[in-house]
Amino acid sequence: MNEALEGVRERLAPVNRHFRTALSLDGHAAANLQVARTAWQVAVFDINEQLTAPAEVSDGFDLAVSVLELHAVNDLPGALVQIRRALKPDGLFIGAVLGGATLHELRDSLAAGEAATTGGISPRVAPMADVRDLGSLLQRAVFAMPVADLERTTVRYRDFFGLVRDLRVMGETSALTGRLGRLRRDTLAATIAHYQEHHADLDGRLRATFDIVYLTGWAPHESQPKPLRPGSAKMRLADALGVKEQKL
């Protein structure tokens, strides 16, 4: 959480803008981000995944921030559309989402352990969106100047149960409705053995990957820069670079 908050701060720092009203989409931003002279409101997605934003801000928010919550939303494209609609024109959205190869070691080991002991596998770790797909979702939600970038952290654990304890403290245990019940003892043992064999360093510590994807986009406004039409350039790229153009 602290790492994701720091990543959001770094992306907010170069923005030369006063945010009068800001929407915290999970409470973390309002509690931990100090943005000068900004009035924060908190909104959440209800059981029907509808964004419940305060009614008193009728013209929209200048800023919306989500920290490690959107990866648990079933309808992420719809959620992004709702966030964009909650912003006033030229309002900024910044989100930190778990994605990419997050917990791929755990996913692989659970699948191997279950296949070895039961003859099949069931969903145990929630699917994670790729950074390129998340960038495309920003475009689909009609955000202007969308950017998606990824920062990877590899955490090393003394044993398998240290990882499990951390996931429970983070509230990131599996929320998949299609998963089976608790792991059988022989399945758990096979999972741990596979993890130690395939995802451990030379000193025996187990690796766990966490990819945080940072999403940035603006609510459209006529004042924003727009790309030129294809073919409208007045200078050849080779001339601008001072090189000789060669046919492929």
Side-chain angles (χ1 to χ4, degrees):
M1 178 62 67
N2 289 337
E3 184 172 342
L5 284 166
E6 185 58 33
V8 171
R9 287 192 191 96
E10 290 176 358
R11 286 155 181 81
L12 267 175
V15 179
N16 186 20
R17 179 75 61 85
H18 167 51
F19 301 107
R20 184 177 58 85
T21 57
L23 188 64
S24 177
L25 294 163
D26 39 52
H28 302 306
N32 297 284
L33 289 179
Q34 302 299 322
V35 182
R37 298 175 295 157
T38 298
W40 285 92
Q41 301 276 8
V42 177
V44 295
F45 288 95
D46 62 21
I47 192 171
N48 298 314
E49 299 200 340
Q50 296 298 310
L51 183 62
T52 56
E56 57 266 25
V57 183
S58 57
D59 59 341
F61 292 86
D62 299 309
L63 173 69
V65 180
S66 176
V67 184
L68 299 188
E69 292 289 338
L70 288 178
H71 60 276
V73 174
N74 287 316
D75 182 14
L76 182 54
L80 290 173
V81 169
Q82 293 184 68
I83 294 170
R84 194 255 304 158
R85 289 174 176 169
L87 292 168
K88 64 176 55 175
D90 208 27
L92 174 63
F93 164 64
I94 297 181
V97 186
L98 288 176
T102 295
L103 295 177
H104 73 90
E105 303 92 346
L106 179 60
R107 187 195 312 276
D108 172 58
S109 299
L110 284 167
E114 206 162 24
T117 56
T118 69
I121 61 175
S122 62
R124 296 283 181 180
V125 179
M128 298 290 173
D130 181 81
V131 61
R132 289 168 295 186
D133 294 334
L134 288 167
S136 297
L137 289 182
L138 284 175
Q139 291 180 310
R140 177 177 169 182
V142 199
F143 278 101
M145 298 176 287
V147 176
D149 64 289
L150 181 148
E151 291 187 2
R152 172 168 296 174
T153 299
T154 301
V155 183
R156 301 168 71 249
Y157 287 93
R158 183 177 293 107
D159 56 43
F160 180 82
F161 297 103
L163 169 60
V164 173
R165 283 191 296 271
D166 268 8
L167 293 177
R168 286 176 176 167
V169 170
M170 294 166 62
E172 293 295 344
T173 52
S174 180
L176 293 172
T177 58
R179 69 187 178 96
L180 300 178
R182 299 180 63 180
L183 287 177
R184 291 172 13 182
R185 289 189 177 182
D186 59 340
T187 302
L188 177 60
T191 296
I192 295 174
H194 183 90
Y195 209 129
Q196 291 174 332
E197 180 179 356
H198 296 276
H199 304 295
D201 292 329
L202 294 177
D203 60 1
R205 289 183 176 268
L206 307 181
R207 299 184 301 274
T209 298
F210 293 88
D211 283 351
I212 300 178
V213 181
Y214 294 95
L215 307 176
T216 305
W218 297 81
H221 188 265
E222 60 184 11
S223 66
Q224 294 166 347
K226 295 177 176 59
L228 296 174
R229 290 185 300 103
S232 62
K234 294 181 172 57
M235 177 182 291
R236 295 167 61 250
L237 179 60
D239 294 338
L241 297 176
V243 297
K244 183 178 179 180
E245 184 176 1
Q246 296 181 349
K247 292 184 178 181
L248 296 177

